[in-house]
Amino acid sequence: MFIGFDYGTANCSVAKMEHGKPELLKLEGNNVYIPSTLAAPTRESVAEYLFKFRDIKPYDAIGEQVLRRAIAFNREESIELEASDLAFGNAALDLYLEDPSDTYYVKSPKSFLGASGLRDVQVSFFEDLVCAMMDNIKRNAEAHTNQIITDTVIGRPVNFHGRDSEVANQQAESILLKAAKRAGFKNVEFQFEPVAAGLEYEATLSDNKTVLVVDIGGGTTDCSLIEMGPSWRGQADRTQSLLAHSGQRVGGNDLDIALAFKQLMAPFGLGSKTTANIVMPTIQFWNPIAINSVDAQSDFYSRANLATLNQLKKDAQEPEKLARLLDVFHETLGYRIVRQAEEAKIALSEQPQYRVMMQVLSEQLEVDIDFNDMVEAIASPKQKMAELVKEAVEQGGVTPDAIFMTGGSARSPILRGAVQKILPNIPVVSGNYFGSVTAGLARWAEVCFK
């Protein structure tokens, strides 16, 4: 059996073909989408879980080294790992929110796969993370279909990390491929996510069109200019129909982080001053919420930075604010703050004002945000997304007949307005914001494996 697999930054989903149409499969209870999250007692628990409970062995010598170290660490910490200790999706988020300080929690590991400067051990660790998540999804999909899944087409962004970084793309695709093979997939193909979304839209067309697909996902924005329609449908070689691609690691997560930074970090000391009237270093308020940056998270939660934060509190005109930042450090609250910003972003797409209620230990903070505050906060990532639309059209040299927008953040009236400003008078259409990529991947899997 074959499936299309959208290993997304925000959510994962898979689909099979049933009577000529894609059908999304249940992955978490009755839900066809599962958040891209994992929780465990420790970072080291992932490798041990795969080996001990899933009989998934390391891929190479580096992986074996990671596994040995993981088992030794857990023994030293007197952690007797149980299969139920690893949680995925909403269950992982619940576990983290219940006890942030004693839970190892990862959201959107896809964001890190193309990061530069990763050591072999770090690459192996990310491979374990992705493998554990893929294994969980594959087992749940097989339970839904009562069939063994052997083949898959996995979606990938045009660029995982920055622009035109082929080294990053190769690194990220290699991690995904190895993880998928270890999780039990026999045959694995890849397809650009915007192309996959385009294939799903193409199934609705009765005439040939030139379509600009704009896929604004959780971690990346990708644009593909594609000739599509009845003449192309079902063809195995689509090379001539793919006119242009652009992509960058800027997506829904970046909007959430930007909003969190601009609107939610003041109670933690952003913009406040020391007794010497020096503004507090901005980096200390950016790093804890930059959840898509390995370096930022490592720097903020390092032991050395704890000493820096304690000194900033001593020197602060408003030490109570820096005390809250220390709570963020000790309780690992960065993910929680960004989640609050995400909830505000979603609410402000439909209402003019929103009150954020943040719980920091026993203290509840309230921050009011209005629509204009959000527009200002996300101006920089919005501009980057708009530039990608321009780039794809200029590269293709053709004005599209239609713009197909997909991805969770494509629902934003701010982002839709930015696209329409670049290409006025071109109709903007949408399908399933969350499922178009998955459905298109299933259609492409049918071409590849049937």
Side-chain angles (χ1 to χ4, degrees):
M1 179 183 168
F2 61 81
I3 59 170
F5 195 147
D6 182 11
Y7 182 74
T9 304
N11 296 285
C12 297
S13 55
V14 301
K16 67 172 183 173
M17 294 299 292
E18 188 71 26
H19 305 302
K21 294 184 179 180
E23 176 190 332
L24 271 67
L25 305 179
K26 295 176 182 177
L27 300 179
E28 190 177 33
N30 288 320
N31 297 322
V32 295
Y33 304 106
I34 182 170
S36 303
T37 56
L38 178 150
T42 64
R43 170 190 172 113
E44 289 74 16
S45 297
V46 182
E48 184 176 357
Y49 164 86
L50 288 173
F51 181 73
K52 184 175 179 181
F53 299 108
R54 299 299 307 141
D55 194 29
I56 296 176
K57 298 175 176 59
Y59 199 84
D60 51 28
I62 298 295
E64 291 174 358
Q65 177 186 335
V66 169
L67 175 60
R68 287 195 299 271
R69 289 180 178 176
I71 293 173
F73 176 86
N74 283 338
R75 294 301 165 270
E76 288 173 8
E77 296 295 316
S78 300
I79 295 172
E80 291 296 331
L81 193 67
E82 301 291 340
S84 59
D85 286 343
L86 251 71
F88 303 91
N90 286 303
L93 177 60
D94 291 343
L95 199 61
Y96 164 71
L97 293 177
E98 183 181 315
D99 192 358
S101 60
D102 285 335
T103 302
Y104 177 75
Y105 177 75
V106 178
K107 178 184 178 183
S108 311
K110 183 180 178 181
S111 298
F112 304 121
L113 303 186
S116 60
L118 292 183
R119 302 187 305 276
D120 288 345
V121 169
Q122 290 175 299
V123 169
S124 182
F125 169 69
F126 284 124
E127 184 190 307
D128 282 341
L129 274 180
V130 176
C131 179
M133 295 170 71
M134 286 186 168
D135 170 69
N136 176 66
I137 289 167
K138 182 174 182 288
R139 281 186 290 129
N140 289 340
E142 288 173 340
H144 181 175
T145 60
N146 289 316
Q147 290 180 275
I148 300 298
I149 300 169
T150 56
D151 306 329
T152 186
V153 172
I154 299 174
R156 55 150 290 185
V158 173
N159 288 309
F160 281 89
H161 204 276
R163 292 172 180 263
D164 304 322
S165 178
E166 200 47 43
V167 172
N169 290 338
Q170 290 173 4
Q171 174 182 286
E173 193 170 293
S174 174
I175 292 172
L176 288 172
L177 177 61
K178 290 177 181 177
K181 292 281 190 178
R182 290 176 66 198
F185 291 106
K186 304 300 182 187
N187 299 297
V188 179
E189 299 289 341
F190 290 93
Q191 179 58 274
F192 286 145
E193 289 159 357
V195 173
L199 293 175
E200 178 62 6
Y201 178 57
E202 182 180 61
T204 69
L205 297 179
S206 55
D207 300 306
N208 290 340
K209 293 180 182 291
T210 302
V211 178
L212 177 66
V213 180
V214 181
D215 178 16
I216 308 176
T220 59
T221 294
D222 296 289
C223 303
S224 288
L225 192 63
I226 310 171
E227 297 282 1
M228 61 173 70
S231 299
W232 294 100
R233 197 175 296 141
Q235 290 192 26
D237 184 0
R238 294 296 299 256
T239 308
Q240 296 302 313
S241 71
L242 307 179
L243 306 181
H245 301 293
S246 64
Q248 190 177 359
R249 201 192 75 164
V250 55
N253 281 353
D254 297 273
L255 302 177
D256 302 337
I257 291 167
L259 184 58
F261 179 70
K262 293 283 189 178
Q263 294 295 320
L264 300 185
M265 295 309 290
F268 300 93
L270 177 63
S272 65
K273 295 181 179 181
T274 67
T275 51
N277 218 33
I278 298 170
V279 176
M280 288 289 173
T282 303
I283 195 70
Q284 293 292 355
F285 308 96
W286 176 260
N287 281 352
I289 58 171
I291 58 173
N292 55 3
S293 169
V294 176
D295 292 339
Q297 293 286 282
S298 297
D299 287 349
F300 182 77
Y301 289 108
S302 68
R303 191 53 49 183
N305 195 48
L306 176 58
T308 302
L309 293 174
N310 280 318
Q311 188 60 51
L312 289 174
K313 180 187 172 188
K314 288 181 180 178
D315 296 340
Q317 289 184 15
E318 300 172 278
E320 71 281 0
K321 292 185 176 181
L322 274 296
R324 294 185 190 124
L325 190 62
L326 278 161
D327 290 337
V328 172
F329 178 96
H330 289 299
E331 300 297 316
T332 324
L333 298 181
Y335 283 107
R336 182 178 285 185
I337 295 170
V338 175
R339 179 171 171 78
Q340 297 275 9
E342 180 186 14
E343 291 173 353
K345 177 191 72 176
I346 294 169
L348 288 168
S349 294
E350 299 178 350
Q351 61 193 61
Q353 289 185 316
Y354 181 77
R355 174 166 291 178
V356 175
M357 314 283 280
M358 289 191 294
Q359 194 72 33
V360 182
L361 295 184
S362 59
E363 183 182 17
Q364 181 164 283
L365 305 174
E366 297 182 2
V367 180
D368 289 322
I369 307 175
D370 64 32
F371 183 79
N372 290 330
D373 292 331
M374 180 173 71
V375 172
E376 181 182 347
I378 68 173
S380 177
K382 182 193 77 171
Q383 183 59 33
K384 291 178 182 178
M385 293 172 181
E387 290 297 326
L388 292 170
V389 172
K390 283 185 186 177
E391 183 182 329
V393 174
E394 290 173 1
Q395 187 187 128
V398 179
T399 301
D401 299 311
I403 303 164
F404 180 69
M405 293 190 67
T406 190
S409 294
R411 296 171 299 168
S412 166
I414 300 170
L415 301 183
R416 293 175 76 87
V419 173
Q420 289 175 309
K421 186 176 181 181
I422 295 168
L423 294 167
N425 305 317
I426 305 297
V428 176
V429 295
S430 301
N432 183 332
Y433 286 109
F434 295 99
S436 293
V437 170
T438 316
L441 291 170
R443 291 185 184 277
W444 191 244
E446 186 172 48
V447 173
C448 294
F449 301 122
K450 193 167 183 181

